[in-house]
């Protein structure tokens, strides 16, 4: 039986500056003894190149917080998964609750992004989780199952898939 690799992913959300990225990664790299868990940092798009450069000779991997479902075209503001792979990203977060909430991302869109990311060799981290209302209504299992079913529908190759369960009601609430 193959043992699961422990994974620690830091989603920096819409935070950071060149100096804070430098400081945080310098501290992380100082502690880097080829971490037992795989450590992945996911800074903003504008800090990806800096993070990739700083982490190049380390065991710390760099990922993106999202990607487009398309590889190119008239999608102003989107980032193609192939662009992320080409610059050296190894991971991408998909279906984060904030993307679902603030950008109306559907399970079908998450599935399309997942397929596009896998096509270029990125390792996807698919996020699932229920709201407090859904949990209190007793529908947490159904919500999370539907999100997973929706994201995985029609996927051909998922050998490197990571599923991150993050109940929306627990994010930043102290619960």
């Amino acid at each position: 039986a193959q043992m699961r690799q422990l994974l620690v992913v830091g989603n920096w959300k819409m935070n950071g500056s060149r100096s804070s990225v430098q400081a945080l990664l310098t501290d992380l790299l100082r502690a880097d003894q080829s971490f037992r868990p795989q450590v992945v940092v996911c800074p903003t798009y504008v800090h990806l190149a800096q993070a990739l450069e700083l982490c190049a000779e380390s065991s710390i991997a760099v990922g993106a917080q999202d990607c487009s479902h398309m590889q190119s075209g008239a999608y102003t503001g989107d980032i193609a998964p192939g662009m992320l792979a080409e610059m050296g990203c190894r991971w991408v977060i998909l279906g984060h609750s904030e993307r679902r909430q603030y950008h109306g991302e559907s399970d079908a869109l998450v599935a399309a992004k997942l397929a596009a990311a896998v096509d270029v060799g990125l390792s996807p981290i698919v996020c699932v989780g229920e709201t407090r209302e859904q949990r209190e209504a007793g529908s947490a299992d159904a919500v999370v199952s539907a999100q997973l079913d929706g994201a995985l529908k029609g996927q051909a190759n998922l050998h490197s898939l990571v599923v991150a369960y993050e109940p929306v009601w627990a994010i930043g609430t102290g619960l």
Side-chain angles (χ1 to χ4, degrees), residues 8-29 39-48 50-52 54-55 60-65 93 96 98:
V8 177
V9 180
N11 176 5
W12 297 3
K13 305 197 178 201
M14 198 174 70
N15 296 296
S17 63
R18 285 193 61 78
S19 60
S20 69
V21 168
Q22 178 77 42
L24 180 56
L25 287 177
T26 297
D27 287 348
L28 259 181
L29 290 164
V39 173
V40 181
V41 294
C42 296
T44 66
Y45 288 128
V46 298
H47 297 114
L48 281 173
Q50 180 187 12
L52 284 159
L54 288 167
C55 295
I60 299 171
V62 178
Q65 297 176 14
I93 298 171
H96 192 280
E98 292 162 357

Side-chain angles (χ1 to χ4, degrees), residues 152-166:
L152 302 184
K153 187 173 191 161
Q155 303 297 337
N157 180 0
L158 296 175
H159 69 278
S160 62
L161 175 71
V162 171
V163 175
Y165 170 64
E166 186 176 38

Side-chain angles (χ1 to χ4, degrees), residues 95-110:
H96 192 280
S97 60
E98 292 162 357
R99 299 289 313 172
R100 293 175 188 267
Q101 179 183 351
Y102 304 138
H103 300 279
E105 292 194 1
S106 66
D107 294 331
L109 181 58
V110 175

Side-chain angles (χ1 to χ4, degrees):
Q2 184 180 356
M3 209 168 102
R4 282 192 196 170
Q5 168 74 38
L6 295 175
L7 181 68
V8 177
V9 180
N11 176 5
W12 297 3
K13 305 197 178 201
M14 198 174 70
N15 296 296
S17 63
R18 285 193 61 78
S19 60
S20 69
V21 168
Q22 178 77 42
L24 180 56
L25 287 177
T26 297
D27 287 348
L28 259 181
L29 290 164
R30 198 172 288 131
D32 178 17
Q33 303 297 323
S34 291
F35 289 112
R36 282 292 155 253
Q38 167 70 68
V39 173
V40 181
V41 294
C42 296
T44 66
Y45 288 128
V46 298
H47 297 114
L48 281 173
Q50 180 187 12
L52 284 159
E53 186 178 329
L54 288 167
C55 295
E57 303 299 319
S58 78
S59 69
I60 299 171
V62 178
Q65 297 176 14
D66 188 40
C67 70
S68 177
H69 63 296
M70 300 299 289
Q71 297 294 357
S72 64
Y75 300 94
T76 300
D78 283 358
I79 307 290
M83 294 172 178
L84 297 170
E86 181 183 48
M87 73 184 300
C89 287
R90 291 181 25 214
W91 295 86
V92 63
I93 298 171
L94 301 172
H96 192 280
S97 60
E98 292 162 357
R99 299 289 313 172
R100 293 175 188 267
Q101 179 183 351
Y102 304 138
H103 300 279
E105 292 194 1
S106 66
D107 294 331
L109 181 58
V110 175
K113 289 180 176 195
L114 177 56
V118 169
D119 277 350
V120 299
L122 291 173
S123 295
I125 302 166
V126 174
C127 300
V128 296
E130 79 282 1
T131 65
R132 188 170 190 169
E133 296 74 28
Q134 291 165 333
R135 184 173 193 84
E136 289 170 356
S139 58
D141 288 351
V143 168
V144 171
S145 292
Q147 289 173 344
L148 262 181
D149 289 346
L152 302 184
K153 187 173 191 161
Q155 303 297 337
N157 180 0
L158 296 175
H159 69 278
S160 62
L161 175 71
V162 171
V163 175
Y165 170 64
E166 186 176 38
V168 179
W169 53 268
I171 301 171
T173 62
L175 297 175

